[in-house]
Amino acid sequence: MKTQTITRDRSALEKRRLEASKLFKQDKNQRFVALKFNVTPAAVCQWHKAWKKKGHKGLISKGPTGSDPKLDAKKKKKLKNFIMEGPKKFGYQTDFWTLSRIRDLAKRKLRVTLGAGTVWRTVIDLGFSCQKPERRAKERNEQAITNWKLKEFPKLKKMGTEA
């Protein structure tokens, strides 16, 4: 079964609840409100309960749920600058970032402990993408490869068709 991800727009949901409060003032029943906004009767019951208790203010959004983010905008900017400077500057042997290295860097430089998932989402939010470096021999000669592709390989293809 395919699951559908629904993005929640907090202001749109709040606007819908506030529209419902106008209907509550007009003495419209909860079933009517549920059908009008295509929501469950249980949701409308909660809205009505909050509206009766606190009025219009009871239906205003309380803000984002969950704990406050560990990285504010300033720390995110610092982290992005650290990433742009490269891992060798921070004592790593190779010039490749990994999530564990970024996590370690955030802990050392920003004094923030992040989970692996948080590091991944933060890196994506900062505009970076997952990239795997190509492994190539140090002795690789690009000019010789180009010459072989242009001169030798076509000869081999012709030999294969005649045989």
Side-chain angles (χ1 to χ4, degrees):
M1 181 175 220
K2 198 174 187 181
T3 58
Q4 183 181 13
T5 305
I6 299 172
T7 305
R8 300 283 182 191
D9 179 6
R10 194 174 319 283
S11 61
L13 296 176
E14 180 182 282
K15 184 178 176 184
R16 181 175 66 179
R17 288 191 304 272
L18 295 176
E19 288 292 321
S21 76
K22 292 176 185 174
L23 296 175
F24 294 148
K25 282 182 185 175
Q26 297 172 7
D27 289 330
K28 299 290 183 185
N29 66 25
Q30 292 179 21
R31 181 171 157 61
F32 174 83
V33 175
L35 291 171
K36 178 162 176 60
F37 294 107
N38 196 25
V39 295
T40 64
V44 176
C45 183
Q46 289 176 352
W47 297 352
H48 192 263
K49 196 178 203 180
W51 176 76
K52 280 194 116 176
K53 191 173 184 179
K54 296 183 180 178
H56 187 75
K57 291 181 181 177
L59 298 175
I60 294 176
S61 175
K62 292 164 186 65
T65 58
S67 59
D68 292 335
K70 293 181 179 180
L71 290 176
D72 58 10
K74 190 175 179 182
K75 285 185 179 179
K76 277 187 177 182
K77 188 174 181 180
K78 280 185 180 180
L79 183 62
K80 184 173 185 172
N81 290 336
F82 292 153
I83 292 171
M84 295 298 289
E85 290 175 19
K88 284 191 174 181
K89 184 168 191 251
F90 298 99
Y92 295 105
Q93 295 290 328
T94 62
D95 207 19
F96 304 111
W97 281 116
T98 62
L99 291 179
S100 59
R101 285 181 176 183
I102 294 172
R103 184 179 181 184
D104 178 56
L105 180 70
K107 191 171 187 175
R108 284 190 294 142
K109 295 290 185 181
L110 303 174
R111 297 189 179 359
V112 174
T113 304
L114 302 172
T118 303
V119 174
W120 175 251
R121 284 188 301 278
T122 302
V123 168
I124 297 299
D125 287 346
L126 292 175
F128 297 105
S129 62
C130 178
Q131 297 179 6
K132 192 172 183 179
E134 288 187 34
R135 296 181 184 263
R136 293 191 171 168
K138 290 180 182 178
E139 302 84 12
R140 185 178 170 101
N141 183 340
E142 292 295 331
Q143 185 62 44
I145 292 170
T146 304
N147 287 338
W148 184 85
K149 285 180 182 178
L150 294 174
K151 296 176 184 168
E152 299 298 320
F153 185 61
K155 291 179 192 174
L156 293 174
K157 281 175 64 175
K158 286 180 185 175
M159 285 176 30
T161 57
E162 293 174 7

